[in-house]
């Protein structure tokens, strides 16, 4: 459904009113179109003294076609070229105005950046946090609309001393605040990268940077993403990162599920789209549009897991990616809720996912290196009045990720969830107007997200290149204040 307020504030009269009254000012978000450059401008890359990631990150960004600057605003040497390599170092040019001219030339105009990327892994004590200020303060007002801020750290649990763990944990406060402060569709994320990594860790870092820097992550901000080990890194065709993958999407007839089916098919997947028989026509239309197949099945039927497994075995012999998206709401305050509302929501949103995972795993249909991605909700993080059943089911989905991810990691099967905030679908169109408006505006983007925003995030977690990205719950909520 359309956000009339957002459309109005983009008119001349709307702009004037927003300025005069200090009203929310939803920016136009930078969303992905195939063929787009990763960023709207050059990236400023820096590192704390002793950082271990700036060099591989420099290589990843250069390979992705990103123009790199260091803190002087100059272009550092190509890190992929042989010979002596220079990593943009912390402290270089501190306090100097960033310029977009080569070193030695007279400054012309201040440089503007598509992204600020900072390797903070070298910070081992709170007294060294000053390096964050030194890096981010000069360009803080020079990030382009729709720009990206990424801080890289070491997971606190892996740190060698309490002081290092303390300093690394502090990075969250910086990134979440930048997400709230910079505005104009700029997003900010913290990426914790294991220090005990393998080739798959670097591939996972690359897939994550390619997602977070691009327009695919338009409505993801203030998130902490963890990258662990990922086995041997596999070569990836980044234009079609899901080429040849068989993907099951539940609840694919409309809303977020239909967007997931479309986005994953665009990225090369062969999509098996599933929904209830009553949604058969809409489901067939989605499946035809993307050259996928349709399965009409009520996930809560006792024989649903076996029928689904039989279908996947007969038609595809496997399923590389399972996207558990189907979900329902049956809202009532707890005192007024009948048992049917409770049971149906828990069964569709949580128990059916468990039953299907069990059967697909037991029958060996999910190969090593497979992906499970579930759709949770910020209601599962924050709770919500009138949604005890729904919030219980969606918190349970997070429990499923926490418990299953370590159990399946040895087989290279990653388990993650996305937790959407306010997304413009039929589900949210039913919310009463005043609550709907509050839901739309109470986030750093001052607007609701689109089904495509959730779909792009699921796509990234589903990529074969994202094997090292496991056990995460990534909110797609524009940095909602709920459960923050
Ligand atoms: P939607 O109601 O538009 O779509 C849900 C789909 O799931 C429908 O096509 C429905 O037929 C299907 N489905 C329901 N029960 C099923 C069953 N038993 N078997 C098979 N299919 C079934 O909802 P949506 O907004 O697209 O939501 C998709 C997912 O995202 C849900 O899990 C929802 O809880 C979650 N979510 C949505 C929002 C939002 O703002 N829209 C926010 C947070 C989480």
């Amino acid at each position: 459904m359309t956000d009339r307020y957002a459309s109005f504030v983009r008119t001349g009269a709307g702009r004037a009113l927003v300025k005069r009254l200090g009203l929310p000012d939803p920016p136009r978000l930078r969303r992905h179109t195939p063929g787009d450059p990763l960023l709207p401008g050059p990236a400023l890359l820096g590192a704390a003294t002793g950082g271990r990631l700036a060099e591989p990150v420099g290589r990843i960004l250069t390979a992705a076609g990103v123009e790199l600057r260091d803190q002087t605003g100059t272009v550092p040497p190509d890190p992929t070229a042989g010979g002596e390599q220079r990593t943009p170092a912390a402290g270089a040019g501190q306090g100097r105005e960033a310029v977009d001219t080569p070193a030695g030339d007279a400054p012309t105009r201040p440089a503007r950046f598509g992204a600020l990327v900072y390797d903070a892994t070298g910070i081992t004590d709170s007294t060294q946090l000053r390096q964050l200020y030194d890096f981010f303060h000069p360009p803080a007002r020079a990030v382009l609309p729709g720009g990206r801020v990424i801080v890289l750290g070491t997971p606190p649990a892996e740190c060698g001393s309490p002081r290092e763990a303390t300093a690394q944990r502090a990075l969250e406060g910086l990134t979440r605040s930048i997400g709230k402060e910079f505005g104009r569709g700029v997003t900010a994320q913290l990426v914790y990268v294991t220090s005990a990594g393998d080739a798959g860790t670097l591939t996972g870092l690359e897939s994550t940077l390619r997602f977070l820097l691009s327009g695919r992550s338009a409505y993801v901000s203030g998130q902490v993403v963890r990258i662990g080990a990922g086995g041997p890194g596999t070569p990836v065709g980044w234009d079609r990162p899901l080429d040849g993958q068989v993907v099951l999407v539940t609840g694919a007839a409309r809303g977020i599920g239909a967007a997931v089916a479309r986005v994953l098919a665009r990225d090369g997947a062969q999509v098996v789209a599933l929904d209830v028989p009553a949604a058969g026509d809409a489901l067939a239309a989605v499946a035809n549009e993307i050259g996928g197949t349709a399965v009409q099945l009520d996930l809560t039927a006792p024989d649903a897991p076996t029928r689904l497994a039989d279908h996947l075995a007969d038609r595809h012999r496997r399923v590389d990616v399972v996207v558990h998206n189907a979900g329902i709401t049956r809202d009532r305050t707890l005192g007024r809720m009948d048992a049917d509302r409770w049971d149906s929501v828990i069964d569709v949103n949580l128990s059916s996912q468990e039953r299907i995972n069990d059967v697909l795993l037991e029958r060996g249909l999910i190969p090593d290196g497979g992906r499970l991605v579930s759709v949770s909700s910020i209601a599962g993080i924050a709770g919500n009045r009138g949604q005890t059943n729904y919030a219980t089911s969606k918190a349970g989905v997070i429990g499923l990720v926490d418990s299953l991810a370590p159990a399946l990691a040895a087989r290279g099967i990653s388990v993650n969830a996305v937790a959407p905030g306010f997304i413009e679908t039929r589900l949210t169109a039913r919310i009463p107007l005043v609550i709907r408006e509050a839901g739309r505006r109470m986030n750093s983007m001052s607007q609701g997200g689109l089904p495509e925003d959730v779909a792009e995030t699921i796509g990234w977690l589903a990529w074969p290149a994202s094997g090292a990205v496991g056990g995460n719950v990534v909110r797609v909520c524009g940095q909602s204040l709920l459960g923050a």
Side-chain angles (χ1 to χ4, degrees), residues 251 254 256 275-276 298-299 325 375-376 390 394 420-421 423 425 428:
R254 64 174 196 229
I256 292 171
D275 213 301
V276 288
D298 182 339
L299 290 168
N325 162 78
V375 179
S376 176
Y390 184 73
K394 294 298 187 180
I423 306 296
T425 65
T428 44

Side-chain angles (χ1 to χ4, degrees), residues 349-369:
N349 295 3
L350 180 59
S351 308
S352 74
Q353 293 193 16
E354 297 182 294
R355 290 192 295 266
I356 282 165
N357 286 344
D358 287 350
V359 171
L360 295 181
L361 286 164
E362 272 161 29
R363 290 186 45 178
L365 286 165
I366 302 176
D368 290 359

Side-chain angles (χ1 to χ4, degrees), residues 450-478:
L450 299 181
E452 291 71 26
D453 298 326
V454 183
E456 297 281 11
T457 310
I458 290 174
W460 154 59
L461 295 169
W463 293 347
S466 300
V469 189
N472 285 276
V473 178
V474 180
R475 293 171 54 153
V476 188
C477 64

